[in-house]
Amino acid sequence: MQAESDDSGDDCPAVPPTSGQGGGCRNLEIQSTLRTLGSKVEDLNTCNDLIVKHGSALQRSLSELEGIRVGADMGEKMRQVTERATLFRITSNAMINACRDFLSLAQNHGKRWQKALQVERDQRIRLEETLEQLAKQHNHLERAFRGATVLPSSFSGVPGKGDASDEDDDNEFFDAMEDPAEFITVPADPKYHRLFSSPQPLELEPVRQRRTRIPDKPNYYLNLWSIMKNCIGKELSKIPMPVNFNEPLSMLQRLSEDLEYYELLDKAAKCQSSLEQMCYVAAFTISSYSTTVHRTGKPFNPLLGETFELDRLRDCGYRSLCEQVSHHPPAAAHHAVSEKGWTLRQEITLASKFRGKYLSIMPLGSIQCLFDKSNNHYSWKKVTTTVHNIIVGKLWIDQSGEIDVVNHKTGDRCHLKFAPYSYFSRDVPRKVTGVVTDKDGKAHYVLSGTWDEKMEFSRVMQSSKGENGTEGKQRTVYQTLKAKEIWRKNPLPEGAENMYFFSSLALTLNDPEEGVAPTDSRRRPDQRLMEDGRWDEANAEKQRLEEKQRTVRREREREAVKASSPEEGTHPDNYQAMWFEKLDDPVSGETLHVYKGGYWEAKDQGSWDVCPDIF
């Protein structure tokens, strides 16, 4: 056995060598180590053969010893048994020593390889950071050069001849990069560039710095029971509620918060296996509940026609649009598309009931995720949210129910179970478990964790039926590999308890932005007044907006009645959404509002003539 060295003792120098020297040194070290490990394996095989041989001989001698009579042969047989037992002990000791040597050698080289791998990762991170800086500098220099030298005709969408070589350089740069969207965006279409009225040179545009704080929540006292005592059993969306129970975000913005862990879908888009992809989609489904654990405030009910855009194309490679497509029942449609090759769409209708001690919120509707590369089409629904201690005690939120994430192309399925909180349960609170199966029902992965902290997944090697559970059902026992973490919740920003327990993403959602539609939630006056701490003014403004919406609806119903004949029997409210249309999905067989296009083009042109005046 080779002499052992300390954990940091590498055969190669500690200073990172050049690529040629480092590659040759590592190759020689790996070949030498593999030869050493191979010889140790041969020793183990030899010891194993000897143990089998001497063990069989010892067994035969013991059998013969039992069959002989006491006499002259007894001494000879005892000597043979003792001799073979000694050989067996010696061989066993040799086997133990060989195993110990192999284990020690493997552990020693394992630490060295782990350190070498960490060095490679650090070098890769440094290289990515360098490339990112170079890419940003290249982008800024190019834009500054074009703004200072190109003719005005370049703003009309016709590139000059001098730009051809630049575009070729851009294409070569993108081909050399693994993930260009993370580092740089150099669009070929001039409509993505900001137009300037003056012919002055373009200034360099830094990455937008988004806000990290909002005004602290005021401590206003309000008697909750005086409002809620007459609302037991009623639909929550039909109850006029003061902003004191709200948080300064609309339901459309809360829906957009589902994209906080968009990286899970980015990773899912890269998966070669649909079963592994299913694990990431399931983790994304669970992660959407992590922001609700302390969020006891009620979001603003969106006005009909209200929209919310979340344009993170430059930062994160995706952008999304939400629109309130129905008011009774309240329904919101959501569409998000990513440069990484996935599309998320959902239509959610909230049904809620106040039961006296708790409030149940049942999201109705479907969520779908489509991947461009594999054409996998997933769909699932949301679980029930329960707000406890409405009247007395501290408010707390629980998620309970079951979700089936279905891949309609392959037939794969992930069954997730959100365990309801129980005072007498020995399980961890907010527990979630799941099993990923193929179309034949065979389990391939299991997921476990909590919806407010983290999730892990393990590959199933073997399954068997176990003992009966508490409900009399036979449990399935899965033999799995070591669990790996697939998702972990981001920590809340400092002082979140004074800012409605908003996450870092939630803090930016109501940040005013230029160029958004006049129907965007950021422009909603009562919500803005509440965020600024002017709650009395916000309540008055909220009543004005709701009355305006009711007036517009009554007028729309009157016009619909005039335009339709009595025998047609049409619904008096014929409202049509601006950016979404209702379609039947042939894959999932569900009916939902799907984005029909036009919003981002209208934003680029700054033309919002089709938007109604809702604020």
Side-chain angles (χ1 to χ4, degrees), residues 33-53:
T33 303
L34 290 177
R35 284 195 298 267
T36 304
L37 292 177
S39 65
K40 293 297 181 183
V41 171
E42 291 180 0
D43 293 343
L44 290 175
N45 290 332
T46 302
C47 292
N48 181 66
D49 294 339
L50 291 174
I51 285 178
V52 172
K53 176 181 177 182

Side-chain angles (χ1 to χ4, degrees), residues 199-255:
Q200 298 176 357
L202 295 176
E203 298 181 357
L204 299 182
E205 293 186 6
V207 177
R208 175 183 172 89
Q209 296 294 325
R210 306 189 186 276
R211 66 182 186 180
T212 58
R213 289 197 61 84
I214 61 173
D216 288 352
K217 178 181 178 181
N219 187 18
Y220 288 156
Y221 172 76
L222 183 68
N223 188 352
L224 178 63
W225 179 243
S226 64
I227 296 175
M228 301 299 288
K229 64 182 180 180
N230 298 321
C231 303
I232 298 177
K234 293 183 180 180
E235 183 74 23
L236 184 64
S237 61
K238 299 181 181 180
I239 302 174
M241 301 283 286
V243 300
N244 304 57
F245 301 128
N246 287 27
E247 62 180 18
L249 289 179
S250 74
M251 188 62 202
L252 302 181
Q253 292 166 314
R254 283 288 292 267
L255 204 59

Side-chain angles (χ1 to χ4, degrees), residues 349-481:
T349 301
L350 293 180
S352 52
K353 290 292 184 181
F354 175 54
R355 303 298 184 184
K357 294 183 179 180
Y358 62 91
L359 174 70
S360 295
I361 303 172
M362 294 79 70
L364 309 176
S366 174
I367 308 171
Q368 299 184 357
C369 186
L370 298 82
F371 292 95
D372 300 339
K373 185 177 180 180
S374 61
N375 290 324
N376 286 332
H377 188 140
Y378 296 86
S379 69
W380 65 92
K381 299 182 184 296
K382 287 182 174 289
V383 296
T384 299
T385 300
T386 306
V387 185
H388 294 270
N389 293 343
I390 291 293
I391 304 301
V392 179
K394 183 179 179 181
L395 294 175
W396 61 278
I397 291 178
D398 193 23
Q399 312 286 350
S400 60
E402 298 182 0
I403 297 178
D404 280 318
V405 185
V406 181
N407 185 341
H408 296 279
K409 178 185 176 183
T410 63
D412 302 338
R413 182 182 298 267
C414 178
H415 182 75
L416 297 172
K417 184 176 181 180
F418 289 67
Y421 175 80
S422 174
Y423 180 80
F424 302 100
S425 176
R426 291 179 293 179
D427 289 334
V428 294
R430 309 180 184 96
K431 182 179 180 181
V432 182
T433 56
V435 181
V436 176
T437 57
D438 57 22
K439 62 180 180 180
D440 299 322
K442 180 181 178 182
H444 291 267
Y445 290 93
V446 294
L447 295 94
S448 61
T450 57
W451 53 264
D452 68 323
E453 183 179 358
K454 67 175 182 178
M455 289 297 297
E456 296 178 338
F457 75 121
S458 310
R459 186 173 182 85
V460 176
M461 304 305 295
Q462 186 178 358
S463 62
S464 59
K465 296 297 182 181
E467 299 178 355
N468 291 338
T470 56
E471 299 179 357
K473 297 180 180 180
Q474 193 172 26
R475 294 180 177 177
T476 303
V477 179
Y478 297 104
Q479 182 181 354
T480 65
L481 297 179

Side-chain angles (χ1 to χ4, degrees), residues 46 120 133 208 313 408 425 429 483 554 565 594 597 612:
T46 302
E120 293 292 339
Q133 293 298 326
R208 175 183 172 89
L313 199 61
H408 296 279
S425 176
R554 286 193 294 266
S565 57
V594 179

